[in-house]
Amino acid sequence: MGALPEPFDTSISNTTKPNENKIEANGNNIAANGNGIAANGNDIAANGNDIAANGNHIAFGIPHMQLLFEEQRRYLNYFFSHVEYSQVQAFSQVLMDAKGVIFFTGVGKSGFVAQKITQTFVSTGTKAVFLSPTDALHGDIGIVGPNDVLVMFSKSGTTEELLRLVPCARAKGAYLVGITNLKNSQLGNVCDMHLYLPLERELCPFNLAPVTSTAIQMLFGDTVAIALMQAKDMTREQYALNHPAGRIGKRLIFRVQDVMKRQDELPLCKENDLIMDQLVELTSKGCGCLLVVDGEHHLIGTFTDGDLRRTLKSVREGVFKITVGQMCNRNPRSIGPNAMAVEAMQKMESPPSPVQFLPVVDHNNVVIGIVTLHGLVSADMGPIMEGRKQVMEESQGTVATNYFDIELTRDNERVHPTVEQLERTQEVIGKKIIEKREVKSNKERYIKGDKIQRCQALEIRVAHPSVPQNFPDCTSLGKVLRMLRSIFRICGLGMA
């Protein structure tokens, strides 16, 4: 930085002369590296880049930024090279042996660092509390007891609030630790233990803003917290208990019983039930399967929409006489309610082929629930599911915005339709293609095509003699017809 050759002159109007190494700012001429930089009326130069604040042009050169980070690293390396690890070990042992609570305190930026370090200690299994020095002097010191440790952070060791706090905390019987960046400090001299954190200088050009010292404080405190975590042999499960809302916690805490469907949500059927009689149950519960059980709810097998497609392709019209028990998988994967949710995910993904659900059974093989891939994705079980989650979300988005809402009405006589009858029904629906749009349950529903007169609230009503008397609302039946349409199209049976 240059000298101040000109006297103070209040008449100067903050003007900058281009192409000169001189800027007039309140009568002060400051030149650096031959480049003029205006910042609040002062000239600052940084590696040939003009920098201005308060609405003026701002430009930071990459070489200059690189230089700053290298400089900060050098100052941190100074700390690593000069820290006395014997002091660090003794400090860690004091915290490890503490029978009470560890209190951290500080003022200003050291106070914010102390708060963050407190949270690290708490989350890694060590009881710790941040104590505001000002509040402590006005009553909060009452929380401190004779078995506690009070750790005070101060760069200079001359912080007035901390020095006033020392005799009060000592009167309560607490063990006092002062952590400063000076070997000989007033705070260190009055504490039971003093730790010196070596500091060459601050990154700040004036060596004033505590940007390097606070980084050293944070690094020191968090590292000691991990040392205590390891000394206590903290397990992943214990760590997860302190983070129940995070992804790690969910993966290590959530069990199958926490995410499974129960009771009325279960798609149950008996093995002697006709497949066509269970279509509504197959589609309405949102599991993509049926759990085949006996009279005492013991699991016999599972029947999926994939099994339905294979059945239709192999027996065609004979599907209306086939029972679920004839086509179900009698050796399905299952899981217990106390297994970890992430274990259920891994079991779904395991060879020979992935599945979308797992029946949940107790030790007597009685069905008590079902866990689905969608349920695990909703619970956010972790990175193992990221790819599947994206695929499912995209798939659900497609299904949610392109489908038919169909209500079927029954005739006086119950007759199962043939493939040809279903094809003719599709032809009737497909003769006139229209498009309507409605927002319902926060989903956009698109309805395409009908030539039937009764079309109300975007529901296409089709008279057909195949509908049994116990069929429920149009939503479930719409799913049935949509599924059948997709099945016949996949099987190449002529349904477009």
Side-chain angles (χ1 to χ4, degrees):
M1 307 280 294
L4 305 178
E6 299 181 6
F8 181 82
D9 183 0
T10 57
S11 65
I12 300 299
S13 59
N14 296 331
T15 59
T16 303
K17 298 178 180 180
N19 302 320
E20 293 188 11
N21 300 328
K22 177 179 175 182
I23 295 181
E24 298 182 14
N26 295 330
N28 298 317
N29 297 330
I30 304 174
N33 296 332
N35 299 292
I37 299 172
N40 295 328
N42 296 318
D43 180 57
I44 303 174
N47 296 327
N49 296 295
D50 291 337
I51 303 177
N54 292 338
N56 297 316
H57 178 67
I58 300 178
F60 297 99
I62 293 177
H64 176 61
M65 298 304 299
Q66 210 169 7
L67 180 64
L68 284 176
F69 278 95
E70 289 292 338
E71 194 173 1
Q72 179 76 309
R73 181 168 65 177
R74 187 173 69 250
Y75 296 150
L76 293 177
N77 286 338
Y78 178 86
F79 164 75
F80 291 122
S81 301
H82 293 81
V83 65
E84 296 183 18
Y85 289 101
S86 59
Q87 283 190 347
V88 178
Q89 190 277 334
F91 171 67
S92 302
Q93 192 63 52
V94 167
L95 301 187
M96 187 71 180
D97 296 337
K99 296 180 180 179
V101 178
I102 300 171
F103 291 93
F104 291 93
T105 189
V107 177
K109 296 174 181 61
S110 294
F112 289 116
V113 172
Q115 291 184 55
K116 195 279 174 185
I117 292 173
T118 301
Q119 295 303 316
T120 303
F121 271 79
V122 171
S123 68
T124 53
T126 300
K127 293 181 180 179
V129 175
F130 173 75
L131 181 65
S132 167
T134 303
D135 293 338
L137 294 172
H138 292 274
D140 284 4
I141 192 67
I143 196 175
V144 179
N147 295 321
D148 299 332
V149 177
L150 178 60
V151 181
M152 294 172 282
F153 284 94
S154 173
K155 176 186 175 181
S156 64
T158 59
T159 308
E160 182 180 352
E161 293 87 344
L162 297 183
L163 293 174
R164 293 172 58 192
L165 182 60
V166 168
C168 304
R170 178 167 281 117
K172 300 288 291 185
Y175 187 87
L176 307 181
V177 180
I179 301 178
T180 71
N181 295 114
L182 295 177
K183 282 189 175 181
N184 296 311
S185 65
Q186 191 175 353
L187 180 63
N189 293 334
V190 296
C191 288
D192 299 309
M193 173 183 283
H194 174 237
L195 270 80
Y196 163 60
L197 303 182
L199 174 66
E200 183 178 3
R201 61 158 290 150
E202 300 286 0
L203 182 63
C204 168
F206 310 122
N207 195 24
L208 294 176
V211 291
T212 305
S213 58
T214 51
I216 290 173
Q217 289 174 342
M218 185 89 71
L219 187 151
F220 168 79
D222 285 348
T223 304
V224 171
I226 299 302
L228 267 63
M229 177 185 179
Q230 293 177 339
K232 295 178 179 180
D233 293 326
M234 188 178 194
T235 65
R236 288 171 61 90
E237 289 72 24
Q238 292 171 331
Y239 181 80
L241 290 174
N242 295 336
H243 301 78
R247 173 169 292 177
I248 296 175
K250 289 177 180 179
R251 293 191 66 188
L252 296 177
I253 293 177
F254 276 30
R255 299 184 180 275
V256 170
Q257 60 187 350
D258 299 320
V259 296
M260 71 181 187
K261 295 186 176 185
R262 307 166 184 265
Q263 298 177 349
D264 294 339
E265 298 178 295
L266 301 181
L268 300 177
C269 72
K270 303 295 177 60
E271 61 178 327
N272 292 327
D273 292 340
L274 292 175
I275 290 177
M276 296 305 293
D277 290 343
Q278 294 301 320
L279 287 182
V280 174
E281 187 75 6
L282 177 63
T283 58
S284 63
K285 298 299 176 66
C287 298
C289 70
L290 293 171
L291 302 183
V292 187
V293 297
D294 61 15
E296 297 179 349
H297 277 214
H298 292 102
L299 180 64
I300 296 176
T302 59
F303 183 84
T304 67
D305 50 8
D307 295 325
L308 177 59
R309 288 192 297 270
R310 286 184 287 274
T311 302
L312 282 168
K313 190 171 183 178
S314 62
V315 301
R316 295 177 66 85
E317 294 90 341
V319 69
F320 302 111
K321 300 178 182 179
I322 299 294
T323 64
V324 177
Q326 290 177 268
M327 304 303 296
C328 72
N329 173 19
R330 293 181 175 268
N331 188 30
R333 306 175 201 179
S334 62
I335 197 166
N338 293 321
M340 304 305 296
V342 68
E343 181 184 341
M345 183 64 227
Q346 292 168 348
K347 200 165 189 176
M348 287 183 186
E349 298 281 359
S350 62
S353 61
V355 296
Q356 303 287 322
F357 67 92
L358 288 176
V360 183
V361 297
D362 63 13
H363 60 282
N364 292 320
N365 201 39
V366 173
V367 175
I368 58 176
I370 184 172
V371 58
T372 64
L373 179 64
H374 181 267
L376 292 174
V377 170
S378 300
D380 195 12
M381 283 294 106
I384 189 174
M385 306 180 66
E386 284 301 317
R388 295 296 293 277
K389 182 176 182 179
Q390 181 178 358
V391 171
M392 287 190 66
E393 287 176 348
E394 292 175 355
S395 174
Q396 289 171 353
T398 302
V399 173
T401 57
N402 296 279
Y403 63 82
F404 294 88
D405 274 339
I406 310 293
E407 178 177 345
L408 301 180
T409 58
R410 62 182 176 81
D411 208 350
N412 294 330
E413 184 179 2
R414 175 177 176 179
V415 179
H416 289 299
T418 65
V419 174
E420 289 75 15
Q421 287 175 320
L422 288 173
E423 288 177 347
R424 283 198 298 272
T425 302
Q426 171 62 17
E427 289 174 0
V428 171
I429 295 176
K431 281 184 179 179
K432 184 180 179 182
I433 298 178
I434 62 174
E435 182 172 309
K436 296 182 181 180
R437 181 171 179 174
E438 175 190 47
V439 178
K440 187 175 181 180
S441 302
N442 297 324
K443 294 181 180 179
E444 293 182 347
R445 298 189 172 187
Y446 294 85
I447 308 304
K448 289 185 179 180
D450 84 289
K451 192 158 182 168
I452 310 303
Q453 295 299 319
R454 300 178 63 189
C455 181
Q456 300 175 355
L458 302 185
E459 294 174 359
I460 303 171
R461 299 178 180 270
V462 180
H464 203 285
S466 64
V467 186
Q469 296 187 12
N470 61 350
F471 262 28
D473 59 66
C474 65
T475 301
S476 297
L477 292 173
K479 291 179 180 179
V480 173
L481 191 56
R482 288 194 304 275
M483 183 187 68
L484 286 175
R485 187 172 295 123
S486 299
I487 290 170
F488 278 90
R489 184 177 63 250
I490 294 172
C491 295
L493 300 180
M495 296 199 68

